[in-house]
Amino acid sequence: MSHVKSMRCRECGKEYPVEPLNVCELCFGPLEISYDYDSIARTVTRRSIQDGPHTMWRYHDFLPVDAESAVDLGTGFTPLIHAKNLGRVLGLDKLYVKNDGVNPTFSFKDRPVTVTVTKALEFEFNTLACPSTGNLMGAVAAHGAKAGMKTLVFFPSDLERGKIVQASIYGPTMVAVDGSYDQVNRLCSELADNLPWAFVNINMRPFYAEGSKTLGYEAAEQLGWRAPDHCVAPAASGELHTKIWKGLEEMGDVGLIETPATRMHLAQAAGCSPIVEAFQSGNLQVRPVRPNTVAKSLAIGNPAAGPYSLQVLRQTDGTAVAVEEEEVAEGIKLLAETEGLFTEGAGGVVISGLKRLVEMGKIKHDEVTVAFITGNGLKTLEIVEDQVDLVRTAPDYGSLQAALDGR
Amino acid sequence: MSVTVRIPTPLRRLTGGQDKVEAEGQNLGEVVAFLEGEYPGIKARLCDDSGELRTFVNVYVDGEDVRFLDGLTTATGSGNEISIVPAVAGG
């Protein structure tokens, strides 16, 4: 049973019935789902969650859909790993890595999409669509296939090969736009206005955004029902950062954990860091930028949830850091060499951002810290291709010995 | 100096359902004032109390975000297409 009350404009508070609509008609503010938290608190216990499936659907009471009809590929409840080796390098005793690169389509985007596609069927849409920086389109294409829906994905044509090939294999219509993500997003917004399609991150955005809260729930449960002292999340639109926090807050509100005092940090790459720039200059609004970064999954120059991400930074005493472009690959390599986990560009940004936060003295050695790794390294081989170092040899024992000499 | 303005759904009640209207103005601010004359109430939806474009409204002149140009003083002229697009999308 869903505990949803209505939809509400986050800016002016106007209430709306639950329908595929993302924008307030009065002030253009974002609509958000509002829940009956008393009802959730009466229904949900730690035990009821633990008895649920080993997926994010164990938290269905906090989601705006009915779990029985979920379009589910087995998303979520991904490993939270005590990263002792990486922690030793960085000087952190209680560092944890939330590895969301092992989701069904290899990124956290399965979380928002499983919720959205379930809701899209409930609304009786036949067609799914999205603008994407790469990870989202894989998730949308896969869930569209599972749901038997017509699916179209729109993306900047310069995306990494792995993301394009992966998404195409599920059989959607692939629309490569010769432009930036922000341009793709604008085109899709205009298209969404005129077509009866479920654009997962446009007209379906209120439902989509809720899926990312489950990263916060899982991290808290896996830490033994407590919020971390610090979270470090990557930021593109800023929505993930705000929704991890919303998840932690909700768990506190319904009494599953103590009221969280987590500091919510975020990281962007220098080539696209509009939220960091606003944070550092003390602005509450984000000035858009033109992205030029190897971390393409974070290449959003005009972040929709930027103002709210800035609010969360302030409210939780978090810090926003930008890492240099070369630190993206360094972060990927560091996580791989210490923990055996291979992440994509956004994960490299998170690891290098975490390192920066420790150097800045923002995180103390004994504080519980969760770094959110949101995508799999096989999606962005281009970023680390030049790190490949081969030992070449002829197929005889002498040559092999010579080749290995000194290794 | 006629420009075409694409109207998003939340504003179409004010334009009698039209998704595209013609307007006049040497810059975006003048175009907004012109629209207000034709479709009373539209300016308050686009601009906040201080007269600036609202946070969650993106305006494009021939596909370029006016925040990369000169905001409400961005020059407009014959044949320009202006798009008003809700900002809360994507990501």
Short mmCIF file of all heavy atoms in Angstrom, two decimals, chain A residues 15-41:
data_model
loop_
_atom_site.label_atom_id
_atom_site.label_comp_id
_atom_site.label_asym_id
_atom_site.label_seq_id
_atom_site.Cartn_x
_atom_site.Cartn_y
_atom_site.Cartn_z
N GLU A 15 -0.65 22.44 -3.80
CA GLU A 15 -0.85 20.98 -3.84
C GLU A 15 -1.45 20.56 -5.18
O GLU A 15 -2.25 21.29 -5.78
CB GLU A 15 -1.82 20.57 -2.72
CG GLU A 15 -1.34 20.93 -1.35
CD GLU A 15 -1.13 19.71 -0.45
OE1 GLU A 15 -1.25 18.57 -0.93
OE2 GLU A 15 -0.86 19.94 0.74
N TYR A 16 -1.07 19.37 -5.59
CA TYR A 16 -1.56 18.80 -6.84
C TYR A 16 -1.97 17.35 -6.61
O TYR A 16 -1.38 16.67 -5.75
CB TYR A 16 -0.46 18.82 -7.92
CG TYR A 16 -0.09 20.20 -8.41
CD1 TYR A 16 0.79 21.01 -7.69
CD2 TYR A 16 -0.64 20.72 -9.58
CE1 TYR A 16 1.12 22.28 -8.12
CE2 TYR A 16 -0.31 21.99 -10.02
CZ TYR A 16 0.57 22.76 -9.30
OH TYR A 16 0.88 24.02 -9.74
N PRO A 17 -2.94 16.85 -7.38
CA PRO A 17 -3.20 15.41 -7.32
C PRO A 17 -2.01 14.65 -7.93
O PRO A 17 -1.20 15.24 -8.64
CB PRO A 17 -4.46 15.24 -8.18
CG PRO A 17 -4.47 16.43 -9.08
CD PRO A 17 -3.80 17.54 -8.34
N VAL A 18 -1.92 13.37 -7.66
CA VAL A 18 -0.80 12.57 -8.17
C VAL A 18 -1.01 12.29 -9.66
O VAL A 18 -1.92 11.55 -10.04
CB VAL A 18 -0.67 11.25 -7.37
CG1 VAL A 18 0.44 10.39 -7.97
CG2 VAL A 18 -0.39 11.57 -5.91
N GLU A 19 -0.21 12.95 -10.48
CA GLU A 19 -0.31 12.77 -11.92
C GLU A 19 1.06 13.02 -12.55
O GLU A 19 1.96 13.51 -11.88
CB GLU A 19 -1.37 13.72 -12.51
CG GLU A 19 -1.17 15.17 -12.14
CD GLU A 19 -2.33 16.05 -12.62
OE1 GLU A 19 -3.48 15.79 -12.24
OE2 GLU A 19 -2.05 16.99 -13.37
N PRO A 20 1.23 12.67 -13.83
CA PRO A 20 2.53 12.86 -14.46
C PRO A 20 2.80 14.33 -14.77
O PRO A 20 2.54 14.81 -15.85
CB PRO A 20 2.46 12.02 -15.75
CG PRO A 20 1.02 11.78 -15.99
CD PRO A 20 0.29 11.93 -14.70
N LEU A 21 3.31 15.03 -13.78
CA LEU A 21 3.51 16.47 -13.87
C LEU A 21 4.70 16.81 -12.97
O LEU A 21 4.77 16.34 -11.84
CB LEU A 21 2.25 17.16 -13.35
CG LEU A 21 2.17 18.68 -13.46
CD1 LEU A 21 2.07 19.09 -14.93
CD2 LEU A 21 0.96 19.21 -12.68
N ASN A 22 5.64 17.61 -13.49
CA ASN A 22 6.84 17.89 -12.70
C ASN A 22 6.98 19.33 -12.27
O ASN A 22 7.82 19.65 -11.43
CB ASN A 22 8.10 17.49 -13.47
CG ASN A 22 8.27 18.24 -14.78
OD1 ASN A 22 7.30 18.47 -15.50
ND2 ASN A 22 9.49 18.62 -15.09
N VAL A 23 6.16 20.22 -12.86
CA VAL A 23 6.40 21.64 -12.66
C VAL A 23 5.13 22.33 -12.15
O VAL A 23 4.04 22.08 -12.67
CB VAL A 23 6.84 22.29 -13.99
CG1 VAL A 23 6.83 23.79 -13.90
CG2 VAL A 23 8.23 21.80 -14.37
N CYS A 24 5.29 23.19 -11.18
CA CYS A 24 4.17 23.96 -10.64
C CYS A 24 3.71 24.97 -11.69
O CYS A 24 4.51 25.72 -12.23
CB CYS A 24 4.60 24.69 -9.37
SG CYS A 24 3.34 25.79 -8.70
N GLU A 25 2.40 25.02 -11.93
CA GLU A 25 1.90 25.92 -12.97
C GLU A 25 1.95 27.38 -12.52
O GLU A 25 1.89 28.29 -13.33
CB GLU A 25 0.49 25.54 -13.39
CG GLU A 25 -0.52 25.61 -12.27
CD GLU A 25 -1.94 25.37 -12.76
OE1 GLU A 25 -2.10 24.89 -13.88
OE2 GLU A 25 -2.86 25.68 -11.98
N LEU A 26 2.11 27.61 -11.23
CA LEU A 26 2.17 28.98 -10.75
C LEU A 26 3.59 29.55 -10.81
O LEU A 26 3.80 30.67 -11.26
CB LEU A 26 1.67 29.07 -9.30
CG LEU A 26 0.19 28.80 -9.07
CD1 LEU A 26 -0.15 29.03 -7.61
CD2 LEU A 26 -0.66 29.70 -9.97
N CYS A 27 4.57 28.78 -10.32
CA CYS A 27 5.90 29.37 -10.16
C CYS A 27 7.01 28.57 -10.82
O CYS A 27 8.18 28.92 -10.69
CB CYS A 27 6.22 29.55 -8.68
SG CYS A 27 6.52 27.99 -7.83
N PHE A 28 6.65 27.49 -11.54
CA PHE A 28 7.62 26.64 -12.23
C PHE A 28 8.50 25.84 -11.26
O PHE A 28 9.47 25.20 -11.66
CB PHE A 28 8.54 27.44 -13.17
CG PHE A 28 7.86 27.91 -14.42
CD1 PHE A 28 7.21 29.14 -14.46
CD2 PHE A 28 7.87 27.14 -15.57
CE1 PHE A 28 6.59 29.59 -15.61
CE2 PHE A 28 7.24 27.57 -16.73
CZ PHE A 28 6.61 28.80 -16.76
N GLY A 29 8.19 25.90 -9.97
CA GLY A 29 8.97 25.12 -9.00
C GLY A 29 8.73 23.62 -9.21
O GLY A 29 7.76 23.21 -9.84
N PRO A 30 9.65 22.79 -8.67
CA PRO A 30 9.51 21.34 -8.82
C PRO A 30 8.43 20.77 -7.91
O PRO A 30 8.29 21.19 -6.76
CB PRO A 30 10.88 20.82 -8.41
CG PRO A 30 11.44 21.86 -7.51
CD PRO A 30 10.87 23.18 -7.95
N LEU A 31 7.68 19.82 -8.42
CA LEU A 31 6.70 19.12 -7.58
C LEU A 31 7.38 17.94 -6.91
O LEU A 31 8.21 17.27 -7.50
CB LEU A 31 5.52 18.64 -8.43
CG LEU A 31 4.78 19.71 -9.21
CD1 LEU A 31 3.52 19.12 -9.84
CD2 LEU A 31 4.43 20.90 -8.32
N GLU A 32 7.01 17.74 -5.65
CA GLU A 32 7.55 16.63 -4.88
C GLU A 32 6.41 15.81 -4.30
O GLU A 32 5.34 16.34 -4.02
CB GLU A 32 8.40 17.15 -3.72
CG GLU A 32 9.80 17.52 -4.11
CD GLU A 32 10.74 17.52 -2.92
OE1 GLU A 32 10.29 17.85 -1.79
OE2 GLU A 32 11.90 17.16 -3.09
N ILE A 33 6.69 14.53 -4.09
CA ILE A 33 5.68 13.66 -3.49
C ILE A 33 5.62 13.97 -1.99
O ILE A 33 6.66 14.08 -1.33
CB ILE A 33 6.09 12.18 -3.65
CG1 ILE A 33 6.49 11.86 -5.10
CG2 ILE A 33 4.99 11.26 -3.15
CD1 ILE A 33 5.39 11.94 -6.10
N SER A 34 4.40 14.09 -1.46
CA SER A 34 4.34 14.17 0.01
C SER A 34 3.64 12.93 0.56
O SER A 34 2.70 12.41 -0.04
CB SER A 34 3.70 15.47 0.49
OG SER A 34 2.42 15.61 -0.04
N TYR A 35 4.16 12.46 1.68
CA TYR A 35 3.72 11.19 2.26
C TYR A 35 3.05 11.42 3.60
O TYR A 35 3.26 12.45 4.26
CB TYR A 35 4.94 10.28 2.50
CG TYR A 35 5.69 9.90 1.26
CD1 TYR A 35 6.73 10.68 0.78
CD2 TYR A 35 5.39 8.72 0.57
CE1 TYR A 35 7.43 10.33 -0.36
CE2 TYR A 35 6.09 8.36 -0.57
CZ TYR A 35 7.11 9.16 -1.03
OH TYR A 35 7.81 8.81 -2.16
N ASP A 36 2.31 10.43 4.02
CA ASP A 36 1.77 10.39 5.37
C ASP A 36 2.79 9.65 6.24
O ASP A 36 2.78 8.42 6.31
CB ASP A 36 0.42 9.67 5.35
CG ASP A 36 -0.21 9.60 6.73
OD1 ASP A 36 0.51 9.87 7.73
OD2 ASP A 36 -1.40 9.27 6.81
N TYR A 37 3.69 10.41 6.86
CA TYR A 37 4.78 9.77 7.61
C TYR A 37 4.27 9.06 8.87
O TYR A 37 4.89 8.09 9.31
CB TYR A 37 5.87 10.78 7.95
CG TYR A 37 6.70 11.16 6.73
CD1 TYR A 37 6.61 12.43 6.16
CD2 TYR A 37 7.54 10.23 6.14
CE1 TYR A 37 7.33 12.75 5.03
CE2 TYR A 37 8.28 10.55 5.01
CZ TYR A 37 8.17 11.82 4.45
OH TYR A 37 8.89 12.12 3.34
N ASP A 38 3.17 9.53 9.43
CA ASP A 38 2.61 8.82 10.58
C ASP A 38 2.20 7.41 10.17
O ASP A 38 2.42 6.44 10.89
CB ASP A 38 1.39 9.57 11.14
CG ASP A 38 1.79 10.88 11.79
OD1 ASP A 38 2.96 10.99 12.21
OD2 ASP A 38 0.94 11.79 11.86
N SER A 39 1.60 7.35 9.00
CA SER A 39 1.16 6.05 8.50
C SER A 39 2.37 5.15 8.20
O SER A 39 2.36 3.95 8.52
CB SER A 39 0.31 6.28 7.24
OG SER A 39 0.18 5.11 6.49
N ILE A 40 3.44 5.73 7.64
CA ILE A 40 4.65 4.93 7.39
C ILE A 40 5.22 4.46 8.73
O ILE A 40 5.57 3.28 8.88
CB ILE A 40 5.70 5.76 6.62
CG1 ILE A 40 5.19 6.11 5.21
CG2 ILE A 40 7.02 4.98 6.51
CD1 ILE A 40 6.15 6.96 4.38
N ALA A 41 5.27 5.35 9.70
CA ALA A 41 5.86 5.00 11.00
C ALA A 41 5.07 3.88 11.67
O ALA A 41 5.65 3.03 12.36
CB ALA A 41 5.90 6.23 11.91
#
